[in-house]
């Protein structure tokens, strides 16, 4: 008879050998999210994407970066860049950096397109397809067809009811017109050219794996169809319950791909799918190492005819006159010499985010480019998509006119550059090549340099242009250093010291542009603007401001206080300072203080953009922000505290007219401040412009602000304290 077991005979596993439940779950999840499962899921989803293209007989367009994984190389017609974050609740936006106008070329050629994208577990479709692309379609429709189809339903915002509520759709549509205005005024698109590509409005349609595809190719006589295809099937449970299928398998590929790219995947799909999971990292590494390094492709930045951007590796330099590289080490001296490069500027920058930080210190060297470096110019960096693009943006802001002509004789001054102007120039780059989209850190470096009033903001000596023939292969000088810091001569004939323009090159910084601002203290007031500006000088005013806001985030109320206009060291420049009390409609009270800089501008040079709308020469008043991050109480001896442009007053008298003894004017152009559109108008008592005339001395300014962040009307009346 068997003896009963005793406790000492039972062997229990040690706790150290028993994995925790959470560890077991993590292990199961990792196995479900294996590379093999991802590649198999991508392959299966790509079959659905291809079937959608066949059903609608439309070409496939990838919404980068995820979309390219689901489209075979031979079926991919183009790429677009619509961000899901631009469709997040309350953040709906039309990106002025990613205009995606290249999509119109595909639509023009094929009548429509299928845009493929995907999203991870938990959502039926990505926000980029449910909201960002529909928002873009609506903005495009109203910008292109707004006049001829005003009030037509085809210009409405269309979103998928299954993903976007009626309330959210209404909130989104309220923002459309503001972004249309931004697109037209900042990007200044060629509307006739865009209209020639679209015979009818755009209309988004949505397709998922739960949709029923048409058996026959549908016809859409009233609109161009933009079929928004969510590649992946929706998974409601955990990946482990799906038999290896992963929703949105291609998302965040940097975390799992081991360097595999969509192009490499589709080129070696069969061999990759046949490789065991444990061997895949080695297989992928081998494919990546064997991939031939392709020659860099240069992009012409339109509307210029001579500025190009590219990667620095394997770039052909033979057709260029000037090269600017944003690389850790300078380009090869023999390479530059063999290509007969006339001038070379090296801006030492590390790779990645540290490079963006380095760029801030290197960009001021662009302000000192000699005029002899004119000609075809190439700006390059390791990727060709970040540092070189930021440098090209700074180059355009400093030297390019509105028609794309590059003039190196005089860089544009900081006071003539603001964020709106920078956005306009950036739109040139992204329209020329949508892939050229610099990082936020790089853009911050560009903004810092361009809007700085100090010519040199970098640390240490600025880089200078070099002539490759004056150096050996290690960039050691063959001849004594030139006396000119900015000398950039031809390889076979260094410029003599007495050539035209040599005086300019002997200066560390170019001389500032001749001021077009006249001082009221030195000029007789021969126009209403002169007289008004003279009246403002050394004056004190009582003011009352009424604010009526349509948004609860910005309260309505009344501000009362005192304002003064104080002369500054700069010609024809007054510092406006106000101090008062803001009482909201609810009874809350706050102290209100602000400063602006008023300038009287004489339009004597059409290249400065200061002529009136009808082309006549005239005088106008410009208002700029006060940069309190630089100065606290005054603008400084050289105008360090003068900030970006706020508003410009249009002409008084003949153009705006005199009504009832009052002089009235409007702003020269409506403008953006942040994301909001500002329109301004002024009214002055006739006594402001006519000394000795009897009557009360007063003036008013009104701002009508519309946009996603602010929507209010501000009316301020100033009365003279005599």
């Amino acid at each position: 008879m068997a003896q009963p077991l005793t406790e000492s005979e039972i062997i229990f596993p040690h706790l150290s050998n028993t994995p925790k439940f959470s560890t077991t779950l993590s292990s199961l999840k990792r196995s479900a999210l294996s590379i093999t499962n991802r590649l198999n899921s991508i392959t299966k989803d790509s079959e659905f994407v291809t079937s959608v293209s066949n059903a609608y007989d439309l070409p496939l367009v990838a919404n980068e970066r995820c979309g390219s994984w689901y489209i075979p190389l031979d079926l991919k017609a183009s790429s677009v860049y619509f961000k899901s974050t631009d469709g997040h609740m309350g953040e709906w936006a039309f990106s002025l950096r990613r205009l995606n106008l290249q999509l119109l070329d595909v639509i023009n050629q094929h009548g429509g397109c299928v845009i493929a994208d995907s999203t991870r577990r938990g959502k039926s479709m990505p926000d980029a397809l449910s909201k960002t692309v529909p928002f873009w379609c609506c903005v495009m429709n109203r910008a292109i067809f707004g006049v001829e189809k005003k009030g037509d339903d085809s210009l409405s915002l269309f979103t998928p009811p299954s993903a976007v509520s009626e309330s959210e759709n209404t909130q989104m549509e309220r923002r459309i017109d503001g972004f249309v205005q931004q697109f037209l005024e900042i990007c200044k698109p060629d509307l006739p050219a865009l209209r020639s590509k679209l015979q009818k409005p755009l209309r988004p349609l949505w397709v998922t794996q739960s949709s029923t595809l048409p058996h026959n190719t549908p016809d859409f006589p009233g609109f161009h169809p933009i079929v928004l295809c969510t590649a992946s099937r929706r998974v409601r449970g955990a990946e482990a319950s799906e038999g290896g299928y992963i929703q949105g398998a291609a998302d965040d590929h940097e975390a799992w791909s081991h360097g595999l790219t969509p192009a490499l995947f589709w080129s070696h799909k069969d061999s990759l799918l046949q490789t065991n999971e444990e061997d895949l990292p080695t297989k992928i590494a081998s494919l990546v190492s064997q991939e031939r390094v392709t020659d860099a492709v240069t992009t012409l930045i339109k509307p210029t005819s001579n500025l190009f951007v590219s990667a620095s590796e394997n770039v052909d330099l033979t057709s260029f006159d000037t090269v600017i590289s944003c690389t850790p080490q300078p380009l090869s001296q023999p390479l530059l010499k063999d290509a007969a490069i006339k001038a070379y500027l090296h801006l030492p920058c590390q790779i990645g985010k540290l490079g963006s930080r380095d760029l801030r210190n290197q960009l001021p060297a662009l302000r000192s480019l000699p005029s002899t470096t004119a000609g075809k110019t190439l700006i390059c960096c390791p990727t060709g998509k970040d540092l070189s693009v930021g440098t090209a943006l700074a180059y355009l802001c400093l030297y390019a006119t509105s028609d794309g002509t590059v003039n190196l004789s005089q860089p544009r001054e900081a006071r003539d550059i603001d964020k709106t102007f920078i956005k306009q120039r950036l739109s040139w780059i992204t329209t020329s090549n949508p892939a050229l989209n610099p990082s936020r850190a790089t853009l911050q470096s560009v903004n810092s340099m361009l809007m700085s009033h100090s010519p040199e903001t970098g640390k240490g000596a600025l880089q200078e242009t070099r002539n490759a023939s004056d150096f050996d292969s290690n960039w050691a000088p063959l001849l004594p250093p030139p006396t000119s810091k900015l000398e950039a001569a031809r390889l076979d004939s260094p410029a003599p010291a007495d050539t035209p323009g040599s005086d300019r090159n002997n200066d560390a910084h170019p001389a500032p542009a001749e001021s077009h601002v006249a001082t009221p203290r030195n000029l007789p007031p021969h126009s209403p603007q002169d007289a008004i500006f003279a009246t403002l000088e050394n004056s004190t005013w009582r003011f009352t401001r009424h604010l009526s806001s349509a948004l609860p985030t910005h309260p309505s109320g009344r501000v009362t206080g005192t304002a003064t206009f104080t002369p500054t060291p700069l010609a024809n420049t007054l510092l406006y300072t106000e101090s008062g009390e803001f009482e909201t409609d609810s009874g809350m009270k706050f102290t209100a203080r602000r400063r602006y800089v008023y300038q009287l501008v004489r339009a004597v040079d059409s290249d400065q953009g200061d002529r009136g709308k009808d082309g006549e020469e005239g005088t106008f008043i410009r208002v700029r922000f006060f940069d309190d991050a630089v100065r606290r109480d005054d603008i400084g001896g050289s105008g360090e505290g003068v900030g970006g442009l706020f508003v410009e007053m249009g002409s008084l008298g003949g153009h705006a007219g005199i009504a009832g003894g009052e002089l009235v004017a409007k702003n020269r152009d409506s403008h953006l401040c942040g994301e909001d559109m500002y329109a301004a108008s002024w009214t002055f008592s006739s006594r402001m412009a006519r000394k000795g005339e009897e009557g009360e001395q007063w003036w008013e300014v009104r701002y009508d602000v519309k946009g996603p962040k602010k929507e209010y009307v501000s009316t301020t009346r100033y009365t003279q304290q005599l």
Side-chain angles (χ1 to χ4, degrees):
M1 181 176 177
Q3 297 295 320
L5 289 174
T6 63
E7 183 177 345
S8 62
E9 294 175 312
I10 300 175
I11 301 176
F12 292 95
H14 194 275
L15 288 177
S16 62
N17 297 325
T18 305
K20 295 181 180 179
F21 183 64
S22 60
T23 304
T24 303
L25 288 179
S26 298
S27 178
L28 289 173
K29 184 175 181 180
R30 281 195 300 271
S31 64
L33 297 177
S34 65
I35 302 175
T36 299
N37 286 348
R38 287 185 181 276
L39 298 183
N40 283 323
S41 299
I42 290 171
T43 302
K44 186 174 182 179
D45 290 339
S46 72
E47 294 173 358
F48 168 70
V49 171
T50 302
S51 69
V52 174
S53 174
N54 293 333
Y56 287 92
D57 192 24
L58 292 173
L60 287 169
V61 175
N63 189 32
E64 302 294 4
R65 296 172 299 169
C66 183
S68 285
W69 288 91
Y70 299 98
I71 304 177
L73 295 178
D74 59 332
L75 298 181
K76 181 178 174 181
S78 185
S79 292
V80 288
Y81 299 81
F82 292 106
K83 292 181 62 177
S84 285
T85 52
D86 288 336
H88 287 177
M89 173 65 76
E91 301 296 330
W92 315 288
F94 174 88
S95 175
L96 299 178
R97 290 177 57 186
R98 300 173 181 86
L99 295 177
N100 291 303
L101 297 183
Q102 73 277 11
L103 187 59
L104 301 184
D105 295 321
V106 178
I107 297 170
N108 178 45
Q109 184 177 356
H110 300 279
C113 67
V114 176
I115 299 179
D117 199 359
S118 187
T119 188
R120 287 179 287 184
R121 178 170 57 90
K123 300 184 69 174
S124 60
M125 64 180 69
D127 286 343
L129 298 188
S130 63
K131 289 180 273 192
T132 307
V133 177
F135 201 93
W136 178 87
C137 289
C138 189
V139 171
M140 282 293 143
N141 286 340
R142 294 190 186 183
I144 298 173
F145 300 99
V147 175
E148 62 183 271
K149 292 182 177 290
K150 187 174 183 180
D152 195 291
D153 288 342
S154 63
L155 303 186
S156 299
L157 173 65
F158 296 93
T159 54
S162 61
V164 181
S165 67
E166 184 176 349
S167 173
E168 185 176 5
N169 181 280
T170 301
Q171 294 178 66
M172 291 172 63
E173 192 156 17
R174 288 174 183 166
R175 295 192 178 187
I176 295 292
D177 289 339
F179 282 106
V180 171
Q181 194 166 4
Q182 289 185 30
F183 174 57
L184 296 177
E185 296 189 358
I186 294 180
C187 301
K188 301 185 184 300
D190 185 350
L191 290 181
L194 298 182
R195 181 66 177 85
S196 67
K197 298 177 182 180
L198 297 181
Q199 289 70 46
K200 44 196 174 183
L202 308 173
R203 176 77 64 86
L205 306 173
W206 295 269
V207 175
T208 67
Q209 291 202 23
S210 61
S211 303
T212 301
L213 298 180
H215 295 291
N216 299 315
T217 302
D219 184 31
F220 302 99
F223 56 85
H224 290 293
I226 310 298
V227 181
L228 305 177
C229 174
T230 302
S232 297
R233 171 172 58 85
R234 184 174 186 180
V235 173
R236 298 186 181 275
E239 287 87 353
S241 63
E242 292 295 321
Y245 177 77
I246 302 173
Q247 179 182 351
D251 210 18
D252 292 334
H253 65 268
E254 294 92 344
W256 60 265
S257 66
H258 294 272
L260 186 67
T261 63
L264 268 180
F265 167 66
W266 285 107
S267 298
H268 305 277
K269 178 174 72 73
D270 293 338
S271 63
L272 285 167
L273 294 178
Q274 294 170 7
T275 304
N276 295 328
E277 175 69 23
E278 58 270 20
D279 297 328
L280 270 174
T282 303
K283 174 73 172 179
I284 293 172
S286 175
L287 293 176
V288 171
S289 64
Q290 294 172 12
E291 186 180 19
R292 187 179 71 87
V293 178
T294 58
D295 293 338
V297 178
T298 60
T299 297
L300 171 64
I301 306 302
K302 299 178 181 179
T304 75
S305 59
N306 58 353
L307 179 63
F308 295 78
V309 170
S310 83
S312 53
E313 290 295 322
N314 293 356
V315 60
D316 183 5
L317 302 177
T318 54
S319 62
F320 296 99
D321 301 299
T322 300
V323 174
I324 301 173
S325 71
C326 311
T327 50
Q329 300 297 326
L331 299 184
S332 164
Q333 183 269 349
L335 176 67
L336 294 167
K337 185 175 181 180
D338 292 343
I341 299 302
K342 300 173 184 176
Y344 170 58
L345 176 63
H346 176 226
L347 304 179
C349 295
Q350 302 175 70
I351 297 175
K353 292 184 178 180
L354 292 177
S356 298
R357 187 182 305 171
D358 293 337
L359 192 65
R360 180 172 304 206
N361 297 324
Q362 299 298 332
L363 281 177
L366 290 181
R367 292 187 179 274
S368 301
L369 285 177
S371 57
T372 52
T373 59
K376 289 185 67 175
T377 299
L378 174 70
I379 302 178
C380 59
C381 71
T383 66
K385 298 179 181 180
D386 188 17
L387 301 181
S388 58
V389 179
T391 304
L393 174 60
Y395 185 97
L396 291 172
C397 290
L398 290 173
Y399 298 113
T401 60
S402 59
D403 63 354
T405 302
V406 175
N407 179 12
L408 296 179
S409 62
Q410 179 60 56
R412 189 173 280 104
E413 295 189 18
R415 63 170 175 263
D416 297 319
I417 299 174
D418 56 18
K419 288 186 177 180
T420 299
F421 181 81
I422 296 173
K423 286 181 180 179
Q424 291 173 345
R425 294 299 187 260
L426 180 59
S427 70
W428 290 3
I429 297 175
T430 56
T431 301
S432 300
N433 185 344
L436 303 181
N437 197 13
S439 66
R440 182 181 299 273
T442 295
L443 286 178
Q444 288 174 343
S445 294
V446 173
N447 289 345
S448 175
M449 188 280 288
L450 290 175
M451 294 189 289
S452 170
H453 290 270
S454 175
E456 287 191 12
T457 58
K459 298 178 181 179
L462 294 178
Q463 299 297 315
E464 57 191 66
T465 54
R466 291 187 278 184
N467 187 325
S469 64
D470 294 335
F471 298 83
D472 64 17
S473 59
N474 295 318
W475 285 108
L478 297 175
L479 300 172
T483 57
S484 166
K485 178 181 178 181
L486 301 175
E487 181 177 314
R490 291 186 175 274
L491 292 175
D492 56 350
S493 178
D498 58 352
T499 54
S502 60
D503 290 341
R504 177 183 182 275
N505 288 345
N506 285 330
D507 294 329
H509 310 293
E514 180 181 351
S515 173
H516 300 298
V517 179
T519 306
R521 296 184 290 272
N522 300 328
L523 289 174
H526 55 78
S527 72
Q529 288 85 351
D530 286 300
I532 288 173
F533 206 83
T535 301
L536 294 177
E537 185 177 1
N538 276 321
S539 64
T540 302
W541 305 79
R542 293 289 300 173
F543 73 87
T544 301
R545 177 176 301 121
H546 294 278
L547 287 167
S548 178
S549 175
L551 301 178
T553 53
H554 289 76
S556 301
R558 187 178 75 154
V559 184
T560 56
T562 304
T564 61
F565 289 86
T566 308
T568 70
L570 295 187
N572 194 30
T573 302
L574 304 176
L575 177 62
Y576 169 91
T577 305
E578 74 171 45
S579 178
E581 183 180 72
F582 176 34
E583 182 176 359
T584 68
D585 288 348
S586 62
M588 299 181 66
K589 295 183 179 181
F590 305 91
T591 300
R593 294 187 178 91
R594 64 174 64 182
R595 289 186 176 91
Y596 291 101
V597 178
Y598 278 61
Q599 296 176 322
L600 185 67
V601 180
R602 289 192 175 280
V604 298
D605 188 343
S606 61
D607 290 339
Q608 300 298 317
D610 290 339
R611 288 182 181 268
K613 291 184 177 180
D614 299 325
E616 78 280 0
E617 294 186 348
T619 301
F620 63 91
I621 294 174
R622 172 183 290 161
V623 184
R624 291 187 174 276
F625 292 105
F626 176 79
D627 192 346
D628 53 9
V630 178
R631 304 288 299 185
R632 296 189 61 181
D633 301 317
D634 55 51
I635 67 170
S638 57
E640 304 96 302
V642 180
L645 176 65
F646 174 47
V647 68
E648 292 178 337
M649 186 188 303
S651 56
L652 284 157
H655 190 70
I658 299 178
E662 300 172 353
L663 285 81
V664 295
K666 294 184 178 181
N667 54 316
R668 303 179 80 200
D669 288 297
S670 298
H671 69 287
L672 281 172
C673 184
E675 299 180 7
D676 307 304
M677 188 65 64
Y678 279 65
S681 60
W682 293 263
T683 305
F684 297 92
S685 65
S686 58
R687 185 179 176 186
M688 291 280 292
R690 296 183 178 90
K691 289 294 184 181
E693 184 174 302
E694 296 183 357
E696 183 184 14
Q697 189 154 273
W698 60 268
W699 59 287
E700 289 183 352
V701 59
R702 172 187 170 114
Y703 295 105
D704 291 85
V705 183
K706 292 185 178 181
K709 299 294 181 64
K710 301 176 184 177
E711 186 169 345
Y712 66 83
V713 175
S714 168
T715 304
T716 307
R717 183 179 179 91
Y718 297 84
T719 55
Q720 180 75 68
Q721 286 188 320
L722 300 175

